[in-house]
C-alpha cells in the first residue's frame, strides 16, 4: 500500500510554545489530507480536512487559529499547534488520499505532551 | 445520534473463539466502508474494505447491508495477536469524501 510518513513520532514541549507536525505522502500525490486527534481510550476525531492549494476546512469546535494547517504541495501537509497547553496533549494522526485511492493511508502518529 | 455507532465492547474471548462486531451508520449516502485495526499507541491500519456482496479474507469476514445501514466483522478461530481495537469506518460521498470513524471496539483474546 501507499506510504505516509509523519514526523516527529513524539514530542514534549513547554506550555506556550508552538509545535509543527509534518505529514508526507512518499509514493503518491495526496490531493486530500486529514488531521485527527485521539485522546486516551477514545476514537479518532477529525480536526480538519485540507486539499492541496486550498485553505483547510475545520470541524466544529476546532480553533483554526490554534491549529494551523498548511497543504502547499501534493506530498506535504503540516499541522502547527500554536501556544500549546497541557490540554492539547494528545495523539495526532494524519491520513492522506489521492484521486485514485478509495482508502486512506495513515501516518504513524505524533504523541504530543505539553508540560 | 452518532454518524457511526459500534458495539461498545470490550470483548474478552478465549483463543479459538468466534467473535462478531457490529456497526451502524446514519448517512444513507455513504459510499465506502472499511474495518481498520488499531493497536495501542499506533496508527490505524486497514484490515479490509467491505463490499455489498460481503467479502472474506482468511479468518475475517465482512458484510454490508445497505438497506439496514449495517456493517459487520466476523473473526473466526481468534488468535492472541487479534487483540486490538477494531474501528468501523465510513466514507461519505461527494467532494469531501472524508472518513468518519466509529468509537472502536476493543478485543482481547485470552490464552
Amino acid at each position: 500500500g501507499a506510504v505516509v510518513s509523519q514526523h516527529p513520532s513524539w514530542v514534549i514541549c513547554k506550555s506556550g510554545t508552538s509545535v509543527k507536525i509534518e505529514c508526507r505522502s512518499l509514493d503518491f500525490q495526496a490531493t486530500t489530507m486529514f488531521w485527527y486527534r485521539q485522546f486516551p481510550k477514545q476514537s479518532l476525531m477529525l480536526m480538519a480536512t485540507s486539499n492541496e492549494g486550498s485553505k483547510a476546512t475545520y470541524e466544529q469546535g476546532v480553533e483554526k487559529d490554534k491549529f494551523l494547517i498548511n497543504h502547499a504541495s501534493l506530498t506535504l501537509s503540516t499541522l502547527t499547534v500554536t501556544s500549546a497547553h497541557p490540554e492539547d496533549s494528545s495523539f495526532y494522526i494524519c491520513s492522506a488520499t489521492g484521486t485514485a485511492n478509495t482508502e486512506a493511508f495513515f501516518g504513524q502518529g505524533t504523541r504530543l505532551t505539553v508540560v | 445520534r452518532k454518524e457511526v455507532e459500534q458495539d461498545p465492547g470490550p470483548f474478552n474471548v478465549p483463543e479459538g473463539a468466534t467473535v462478531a462486531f457490529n456497526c451502524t451508520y446514519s448517512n444513507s449516502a455513504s459510499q465506502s466502508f472499511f474495518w481498520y485495526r488499531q493497536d495501542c499507541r499506533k496508527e490505524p491500519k486497514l484490515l479490509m474494505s467491505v463490499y455489498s456482496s460481503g467479502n472474506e479474507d482468511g479468518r475475517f469476514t465482512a458484510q454490508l447491508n445497505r438497506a439496514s445501514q449495517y456493517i459487520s466483522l466476523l473473526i473466526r478461530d481468534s488468535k492472541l495477536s487479534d487483540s486490538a481495537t477494531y474501528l468501523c469506518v465510513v466514507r461519505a460521498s461527494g467532494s469531501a469524501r472524508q472518513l468518519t470513524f466509529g468509537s472502536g471496539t476493543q478485543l482481547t483474546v485470552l490464552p
Side-chain angles (χ1 to χ4, degrees), chain B residues 25-43:
Chain B
Y25 60 96
S26 61
N27 185 352
S28 59
S30 296
Q31 190 177 61
S32 308
F33 310 88
F34 310 92
W35 283 101
Y36 277 75
R37 168 194 171 131
Q38 186 177 23
D39 293 291
C40 188
R41 295 175 175 266
K42 297 288 181 102
E43 76 277 19

Side-chain angles (χ1 to χ4, degrees), chain A residues 30-55:
Chain A
T31 50
T32 305
M33 285 193 175
F34 305 93
W35 286 95
Y36 297 87
R37 180 167 53 184
Q38 186 176 35
F39 292 106
K41 297 187 183 295
Q42 295 186 25
S43 185
L44 282 76
M45 295 301 296
L46 180 65
M47 299 176 67
T49 302
S50 73
N51 293 296
E52 184 264 337
S54 304
K55 288 185 178 179

Side-chain angles (χ1 to χ4, degrees), chain A residues 34 36 38 43-44 46 49 59 91 93 97 101-104 106-108 111, chain B residues 32 34 36 38 41-44 46 87 91 96-99 101-104:
Chain A
F34 305 93
Y36 297 87
Q38 186 176 35
S43 185
L44 282 76
L46 180 65
T49 302
E59 295 299 300
F91 191 47
I93 310 178
T97 63
N101 305 126
T102 57
E103 66 176 279
F106 285 84
Q108 302 91 328
R111 189 158 301 280
Chain B
S32 308
F34 310 92
Y36 277 75
Q38 186 177 23
R41 295 175 175 266
K42 297 288 181 102
E43 76 277 19
L46 179 67
L87 303 168
R91 187 164 191 165
R97 302 184 71 202
Q98 65 195 43
L99 295 178
F101 285 78
S103 55

Side-chain angles (χ1 to χ4, degrees), chain A residues 73-112:
Chain A
S73 78
L74 284 170
T75 59
L76 174 65
S77 177
T78 60
L79 166 68
T80 301
V81 182
T82 62
S83 187
H85 291 285
E87 57 266 30
D88 297 325
S89 300
S90 186
F91 191 47
Y92 292 85
I93 310 178
C94 70
S95 75
T97 63
T99 53
N101 305 126
T102 57
E103 66 176 279
F105 301 96
F106 285 84
Q108 302 91 328
T110 298
R111 189 158 301 280
L112 170 64

